[in-house]
Amino acid sequence: MPSANSRPRLAVKILDERLKDRMPRYATEGSAGMDLHALLDQPLTIEPGQCELVRTGLSIHIADPGLAGMILPRSGLGHKHGIVLGNLVGLIDSDYQGELMVSVWNRGQKTFTLEPFERMAQYVIVPVVQAELEIVDDFSDSLRGSGGFGSSGRH
Ligand SMILES: O=c1ccn([C@H]2C[C@H](O)[C@@H](COP(=O)(O)OP(=O)(O)OP(=O)(O)O)O2)c(=O)[nH]1
Ligand SMILES: [Mg+2]
């Protein structure tokens, strides 16, 4: 695993002083994501079916088009409390310089209270390949062809 020194360095703006001692970090050496804390002045009640856009107090400029950020649910909150993301997955462009926002969706059946600075989601950096689309009339044959949606097991 690359040491902390050889990891890509991403510029972060702290938009609220209270985030200074709650910076996202890898909890273990092998963690894929860093948890994002909810920037809230008071507890936020989220009713079943309700979705709230919650501030993180951070802007992260990834800058490198070969990388992207993803905001993913935390499994404990998702499984035990039905707290996932209103957009299912948040995709953060490398040129985005605004505040990271988390769409917190209560897809469960009970009211959930999100506490100030609770860890609500996780942020993962992933490699990205940008492609060029080249218009053609025909493709060279492939084994699959245009079969999809469960076609591979059928005779
Ligand atoms: O959960 C999310 C998803 C997105 N964003 C920010 C970063 C991302 O780069 C930008 C745009 O996201 P996306 O392209 O998914 O949204 P859009 O609806 O297509 O908006 P736009 O027209 O601004 O691209 O919004 C967040 O802060 N949190
Ligand atoms: Mg977009």
Side-chain angles (χ1 to χ4, degrees):
M1 155 158 182
S3 70
N5 292 338
S6 63
R7 293 174 186 163
R9 300 185 75 78
L10 307 184
V12 184
K13 272 192 199 167
I14 297 177
L15 308 175
D16 187 298
E17 290 290 300
R18 290 172 290 177
L19 264 304
K20 273 210 165 129
D21 49 4
R22 296 176 178 97
M23 285 295 285
R25 59 183 187 86
Y26 296 110
T28 65
E29 209 178 285
S31 294
M34 329 182 192
D35 288 340
L36 296 171
H37 299 255
L39 176 56
L40 292 171
D41 293 325
Q42 57 208 33
L44 176 68
T45 302
I46 311 174
E47 301 296 341
Q50 202 186 336
C51 208
E52 293 283 347
L53 201 56
V54 180
R55 297 185 59 187
T56 63
L58 300 174
S59 298
I60 301 179
H61 184 205
I62 298 171
D64 177 354
L67 299 174
M70 294 187 95
I71 299 179
L72 300 173
R74 295 184 67 209
S75 56
L77 278 183
H79 182 70
K80 291 185 205 140
H81 303 285
I83 296 298
V84 292
L85 305 175
N87 46 352
L88 303 186
V89 171
L91 180 60
I92 313 301
D93 301 288
S94 66
D95 54 356
Y96 181 67
Q97 297 183 320
E99 180 170 2
L100 286 178
M101 302 294 292
V102 179
S103 172
V104 181
W105 173 33
N106 182 355
R107 62 146 183 79
Q109 261 125 50
K110 286 195 203 125
T111 300
F112 181 79
T113 303
L114 186 67
E115 299 294 336
F117 306 107
E118 186 171 347
R119 290 173 299 148
M120 60 182 161
Q122 50 189 329
Y123 180 73
V124 180
I125 296 291
V126 293
V128 163
V129 175
Q130 288 182 331
E132 293 294 326
L133 295 182
E134 195 185 316
I135 298 171
V136 298
D137 291 325
D138 289 301
F139 295 131
S140 50
D141 286 343
S142 74
L143 188 58
R144 172 178 289 276
S146 55
F149 301 92
S151 68
S152 66
R154 291 195 204 124
H155 297 286

